[in-house]
Amino acid sequence: MLYTKIIIHYDEITLKGGNRPFFERALLFNIKEFLENVEHGEIYRDGGKFLVSINKKTDLENIKKILKRIPGISNFHFAVSEEKDLEKIKKKVVEFLTSSDLDETKKTFKIEARRADKKFEYKSPEINAKVGEYVLENTKFIVDVHNPDLEIVVDIGIKECFIYFNKILGIGGLPTGTTGKLVSLLSGGIDSPVASYMMAKRGAKLIFVHFKNRTIGGANDGEEKIQNLAKILSKFQGKSKLYIIPFEEFQKEIIAKIPAKNRMIVYKRIMFQIAEKIARKEKARGIVTGDSLSQVASQTLENIEVIYNSANLPIFSPLIGMNKQEIINLAVKIETFEISIIPYQDCCSFLIAKHPETKAKLEEIEKQEANLEIDTIIDKTLSEIEYKIF
Ligand code: ATP
Ligand code: MG
């Protein structure tokens, strides 16, 4: 194998003035942790990028999959490195081009010099001209500066020179943990895993919370499904905690005392109150949901107002302005879709009314809630919660 380095470019960290070292350290730490079980060499920084040394035993496909999921990575390249000597660089570019597995359609090229080392003896246009000329003389490729099949980057770093052309896109955003913790309400549906991904991409570390009716039981109770979703999401944010909250007591109480049309609203309000308690315990600063405006009855503006009002923490719904198909496309991309569509007994299905309220009024809901033993049941529920780590 030809490649000796992976060059990692980061995303918005470059915008972070004085805080930049904090974000860089976090990303470097995360990359090291994610690559722990993959064969590789040193991981270090050179100017404004990270480098991973690789060798013949490195599983490139696996590393590619891993890096494509790490928040904060804008893009990366498999590259070869060379000493900062123009003659050697020219030869290396030709060797790189002739030994790479390029398909027949690639005919034209352009050299794109970059200089992190501003003291390098040649300026970028000179590097382009000299290396370009050498490639022209020594390979079958022809120059096209406007629309080349191959844009070969000659990147003069601080310590060495890197040569690459194969840009692989990452998910961008900010390194996990740098923006703080959030509790994410994870149902078995399509939306909430996507919402979690969106916030993970913004640097939040998510603690997953799932409400489960334990009386459903059996293989189809959704628990395995939730665990599999948490496992996939942990591929983005690293080690993840999943709380399972027993909810059968509340459901019984709600069904007994709340009119059918309002059950879903009350259920969601209690869910947020419990989520807030967990958030406080975990020192998380908000709650994430998969709500999308007016997708279902509980997501009308009126109902959202009444439901979100029950928690004293900010509630984040990153899918609020997205259409179902847009959400599905993302679910497919992050590989949660296949799991989300497996049928299961959703614990809310008992609470769905034929004619649900779409314009809830806080006063009326609060009056009905006064009949519930909310505090007693919340305390009992909190004493029975379990969590798992993925
Ligand atoms: P999803 O596809 O995520 O289930 P949905 O469009 O089906 O969402 P609802 O079922 O009304 O809508 O749920 C809205 C949001 O409430 C979910 O995205 C999720 O964040 C949260 N939620 C719903 N049910 C549960 C549950 N059992 N456990 C945890 N969170 C839940
Ligand atoms: Mg749902």
Tab-separated table of all heavy atoms in Angstrom, residues 185-187 189-192 209-211 267-268 271 289-291 295-296 298-299 347-348, ligand 1:
chain	number	residue	atom	x	y	z
A	185	LEU	N	-34.431	12.224	24.169
A	185	LEU	CA	-35.554	11.294	24.285
A	185	LEU	C	-35.586	10.407	23.058
A	185	LEU	O	-35.877	10.852	21.951
A	185	LEU	CB	-36.874	12.071	24.408
A	185	LEU	CG	-36.985	12.941	25.657
A	185	LEU	CD1	-38.324	13.672	25.669
A	185	LEU	CD2	-36.834	12.082	26.905
A	186	LEU	N	-35.261	9.164	23.290
A	186	LEU	CA	-35.119	8.226	22.176
A	186	LEU	C	-36.299	7.264	22.172
A	186	LEU	O	-36.457	6.459	23.085
A	186	LEU	CB	-33.797	7.470	22.365
A	186	LEU	CG	-33.222	6.734	21.173
A	186	LEU	CD1	-32.930	7.683	20.020
A	186	LEU	CD2	-31.932	6.009	21.584
A	187	SER	N	-37.143	7.374	21.139
A	187	SER	CA	-38.234	6.405	20.996
A	187	SER	C	-37.726	5.369	19.995
A	187	SER	O	-36.593	5.445	19.563
A	187	SER	CB	-39.477	7.108	20.450
A	187	SER	OG	-39.306	7.397	19.085
A	189	GLY	N	-38.868	5.184	17.052
A	189	GLY	CA	-39.285	5.659	15.735
A	189	GLY	C	-38.139	6.122	14.862
A	189	GLY	O	-36.965	5.941	15.199
A	190	ILE	N	-38.497	6.755	13.759
A	190	ILE	CA	-37.489	7.201	12.793
A	190	ILE	C	-36.852	8.517	13.234
A	190	ILE	O	-35.663	8.749	13.042
A	190	ILE	CB	-38.151	7.398	11.401
A	190	ILE	CG1	-38.648	6.053	10.867
A	190	ILE	CG2	-37.179	8.048	10.412
A	190	ILE	CD1	-39.549	6.178	9.648
A	191	ASP	N	-37.660	9.365	13.868
A	191	ASP	CA	-37.238	10.747	14.068
A	191	ASP	C	-36.206	10.966	15.170
A	191	ASP	O	-35.214	11.681	14.966
A	191	ASP	CB	-38.466	11.623	14.359
A	191	ASP	CG	-39.518	11.513	13.262
A	191	ASP	OD1	-39.131	11.187	12.125
A	191	ASP	OD2	-40.691	11.749	13.536
A	192	SER	N	-36.447	10.389	16.344
A	192	SER	CA	-35.570	10.741	17.472
A	192	SER	C	-34.099	10.349	17.278
A	192	SER	O	-33.218	11.107	17.704
A	192	SER	CB	-36.132	10.230	18.798
A	192	SER	OG	-36.550	8.909	18.693
A	209	VAL	N	-32.591	8.585	26.812
A	209	VAL	CA	-33.638	8.210	27.756
A	209	VAL	C	-34.791	7.608	26.965
A	209	VAL	O	-35.278	8.216	26.012
A	209	VAL	CB	-34.119	9.451	28.549
A	209	VAL	CG1	-35.376	9.131	29.330
A	209	VAL	CG2	-33.021	9.951	29.486
A	210	HIS	N	-35.183	6.400	27.372
A	210	HIS	CA	-36.293	5.741	26.687
A	210	HIS	C	-37.353	5.310	27.697
A	210	HIS	O	-37.038	4.716	28.720
A	210	HIS	CB	-35.770	4.504	25.941
A	210	HIS	CG	-36.869	3.718	25.290
A	210	HIS	ND1	-37.592	4.201	24.235
A	210	HIS	CD2	-37.383	2.495	25.574
A	210	HIS	CE1	-38.503	3.298	23.881
A	210	HIS	NE2	-38.400	2.262	24.676
A	211	PHE	N	-38.604	5.630	27.386
A	211	PHE	CA	-39.699	5.243	28.260
A	211	PHE	C	-40.308	3.938	27.766
A	211	PHE	O	-40.634	3.815	26.591
A	211	PHE	CB	-40.767	6.345	28.289
A	211	PHE	CG	-40.264	7.583	28.977
A	211	PHE	CD1	-39.571	8.555	28.259
A	211	PHE	CD2	-40.439	7.756	30.330
A	211	PHE	CE1	-39.077	9.682	28.884
A	211	PHE	CE2	-39.953	8.888	30.969
A	211	PHE	CZ	-39.265	9.855	30.247
A	267	TYR	N	-49.105	12.645	28.950
A	267	TYR	CA	-48.001	11.673	28.908
A	267	TYR	C	-46.676	12.362	28.552
A	267	TYR	O	-45.667	12.195	29.225
A	267	TYR	CB	-48.360	10.603	27.874
A	267	TYR	CG	-47.220	9.768	27.361
A	267	TYR	CD1	-46.601	8.824	28.180
A	267	TYR	CD2	-46.769	9.902	26.051
A	267	TYR	CE1	-45.559	8.047	27.699
A	267	TYR	CE2	-45.736	9.138	25.572
A	267	TYR	CZ	-45.129	8.206	26.395
A	267	TYR	OH	-44.103	7.453	25.919
A	268	LYS	N	-46.718	13.188	27.525
A	268	LYS	CA	-45.491	13.885	27.095
A	268	LYS	C	-45.020	14.853	28.174
A	268	LYS	O	-43.815	15.022	28.392
A	268	LYS	CB	-45.754	14.663	25.792
A	268	LYS	CG	-45.953	13.754	24.578
A	268	LYS	CD	-44.674	13.585	23.815
A	268	LYS	CE	-44.617	12.306	23.001
A	268	LYS	NZ	-45.137	12.430	21.669
A	271	MET	N	-43.281	12.910	30.750
A	271	MET	CA	-42.015	12.447	30.181
A	271	MET	C	-40.946	13.544	30.310
A	271	MET	O	-39.815	13.285	30.714
A	271	MET	CB	-42.266	12.148	28.695
A	271	MET	CG	-41.464	11.027	28.142
A	271	MET	SD	-42.229	10.417	26.620
A	271	MET	CE	-41.741	11.650	25.478
A	289	THR	N	-35.692	16.318	21.468
A	289	THR	CA	-36.782	15.449	20.989
A	289	THR	C	-36.755	15.383	19.459
A	289	THR	O	-36.118	16.210	18.811
A	289	THR	CB	-38.190	15.972	21.372
A	289	THR	OG1	-38.613	16.904	20.357
A	289	THR	CG2	-38.213	16.655	22.705
A	290	GLY	N	-37.490	14.435	18.918
A	290	GLY	CA	-37.573	14.286	17.457
A	290	GLY	C	-38.801	14.974	16.890
A	290	GLY	O	-39.255	14.617	15.804
A	291	ASP	N	-39.349	15.951	17.597
A	291	ASP	CA	-40.550	16.625	17.099
A	291	ASP	C	-40.294	17.346	15.779
A	291	ASP	O	-39.238	17.941	15.568
A	291	ASP	CB	-41.038	17.675	18.123
A	291	ASP	CG	-41.633	17.040	19.370
A	291	ASP	OD1	-42.134	15.907	19.259
A	291	ASP	OD2	-41.583	17.684	20.442
A	295	GLN	N	-46.283	17.304	12.558
A	295	GLN	CA	-46.220	15.976	11.926
A	295	GLN	C	-47.311	15.059	12.485
A	295	GLN	O	-47.939	14.302	11.756
A	295	GLN	CB	-44.834	15.366	12.156
A	295	GLN	CG	-44.570	14.132	11.327
A	295	GLN	CD	-43.355	13.378	11.862
A	295	GLN	OE1	-43.456	12.625	12.821
A	295	GLN	NE2	-42.218	13.596	11.236
A	296	VAL	N	-47.500	15.123	13.816
A	296	VAL	CA	-48.602	14.394	14.457
A	296	VAL	C	-49.299	15.363	15.415
A	296	VAL	O	-48.801	16.465	15.669
A	296	VAL	CB	-48.109	13.136	15.226
A	296	VAL	CG1	-47.562	12.084	14.273
A	296	VAL	CG2	-47.060	13.501	16.270
A	298	SER	N	-49.572	15.668	18.556
A	298	SER	CA	-48.870	16.230	19.724
A	298	SER	C	-47.840	17.272	19.309
A	298	SER	O	-47.171	17.854	20.142
A	298	SER	CB	-48.203	15.111	20.524
A	298	SER	OG	-47.248	14.468	19.717
A	299	GLN	N	-47.701	17.506	18.030
A	299	GLN	CA	-46.688	18.450	17.562
A	299	GLN	C	-47.281	19.695	16.890
A	299	GLN	O	-46.597	20.377	16.138
A	299	GLN	CB	-45.714	17.728	16.611
A	299	GLN	CG	-44.949	16.625	17.334
A	299	GLN	CD	-44.282	15.624	16.417
A	299	GLN	OE1	-44.362	15.724	15.199
A	299	GLN	NE2	-43.633	14.638	16.992
A	347	CYS	N	-44.724	2.174	23.401
A	347	CYS	CA	-45.449	2.333	24.672
A	347	CYS	C	-46.509	3.423	24.590
A	347	CYS	O	-47.414	3.470	25.404
A	347	CYS	CB	-44.501	2.551	25.840
A	347	CYS	SG	-43.908	4.219	25.990
A	348	CYS	N	-46.429	4.306	23.601
A	348	CYS	CA	-47.463	5.348	23.497
A	348	CYS	C	-48.715	4.859	22.796
A	348	CYS	O	-49.727	5.547	22.821
A	348	CYS	CB	-47.032	6.538	22.662
A	348	CYS	SG	-45.479	7.209	22.959
B	1	ATP	P1	-40.281	9.250	16.599
B	1	ATP	O1	-40.232	8.802	15.185
B	1	ATP	O2	-38.980	9.742	17.108
B	1	ATP	O3	-40.928	8.212	17.514
B	1	ATP	P2	-42.781	10.501	16.163
B	1	ATP	O4	-42.889	11.358	14.979
B	1	ATP	O5	-43.308	9.124	16.128
B	1	ATP	O6	-41.256	10.493	16.639
B	1	ATP	P3	-43.942	10.877	18.742
B	1	ATP	O7	-44.045	9.417	18.894
B	1	ATP	O8	-45.085	11.745	19.095
B	1	ATP	O9	-43.509	11.334	17.299
B	1	ATP	O10	-42.706	11.369	19.603
B	1	ATP	C1	-42.176	12.653	19.525
B	1	ATP	C2	-40.881	12.642	20.290
B	1	ATP	O11	-41.101	12.313	21.677
B	1	ATP	C3	-39.933	11.559	19.809
B	1	ATP	O12	-39.191	11.974	18.681
B	1	ATP	C4	-39.075	11.324	21.017
B	1	ATP	O13	-38.080	12.333	21.131
B	1	ATP	C5	-40.068	11.470	22.148
B	1	ATP	N1	-40.633	10.149	22.527
B	1	ATP	C6	-41.785	9.599	22.129
B	1	ATP	N2	-41.963	8.382	22.695
B	1	ATP	C7	-40.899	8.135	23.478
B	1	ATP	C8	-40.476	7.059	24.320
B	1	ATP	N3	-41.195	5.972	24.468
B	1	ATP	N4	-39.289	7.195	24.952
B	1	ATP	C9	-38.537	8.301	24.809
B	1	ATP	N5	-38.881	9.324	24.043
B	1	ATP	C10	-40.037	9.281	23.371
